[in-house]
Amino acid sequence: MNIDELIFPPSGWVPNNQRFPVLIYRNALPTGGSSVDFETLFAMHGWTGLWRDGVFDYQHYHSGAHEVLGVGCGSATLLIGGPEGQPIEVSMGDCLILPAGTGHQNLGCSSDFEVIGAYPEGQHADIQTDAATTDILAMISSLPAPVTDPIQGSSAGLVESWH
């Protein structure tokens, strides 16, 4: 598995996260992965609020939770990092960990595109589509790093990068 780390500066009205990098796991699952595989792995490592769907086609971010997205099916181009962010191609088996405040948007996808999303235990996602207020920025900066990586558990990945 290849892991890329990216930090995005604020972009337009999207605050992004200067404390924790976005993590992109290419071929996160050795068998290519599936939606069920991601659900099982995320749950096993204590990531909660599991859901299956796509990614919204408008720019947004979450202030109350970090988010993991496992690509269980298909492919897409996601704009990560706000309006002036970076288009990132993802396909089945890839996984992204987005720290709170990180803008993301679906720019286009295959008809079978599906992601599995989840959040660290005790964190709850909201959908922000406006500039961050002082209170929202405070919430983003106060969120702790998760104690486990949604793919690798209590060692490696996020645990090493974000702590």
Side-chain angles (χ1 to χ4, degrees), residues 18-71:
Q18 283 26 173
R19 197 170 74 172
F20 301 128
V22 170
L23 300 176
I24 304 169
Y25 294 39
R26 298 293 182 185
N27 302 308
L29 302 177
T31 60
S34 72
S35 295
V36 171
D37 295 330
F38 278 118
E39 287 172 333
T40 301
L41 204 53
F42 295 168
M44 183 173 73
H45 293 132
W47 286 63
T48 61
L50 289 165
W51 54 267
R52 281 188 194 205
D53 207 342
V55 173
F56 294 131
D57 64 358
Y58 54 87
Q59 191 66 230
H60 65 286
Y61 64 93
H62 309 293
S63 64
H66 306 301
E67 181 175 48
V68 62
L69 300 173
V71 182

Side-chain angles (χ1 to χ4, degrees), residues 71-101:
V71 182
C73 215
S75 61
T77 301
L78 303 178
L79 180 60
I80 305 297
E84 292 88 40
Q86 179 178 338
I88 296 176
E89 302 287 332
V90 295
S91 59
M92 184 175 169
D94 291 343
C95 181
L96 294 94
I97 303 174
L98 305 176

Side-chain angles (χ1 to χ4, degrees), residues 103-114:
H104 49 294
Q105 173 183 5
N106 184 342
L107 296 178
C109 62
S110 61
S111 61
D112 61 343
F113 179 63
E114 179 177 73

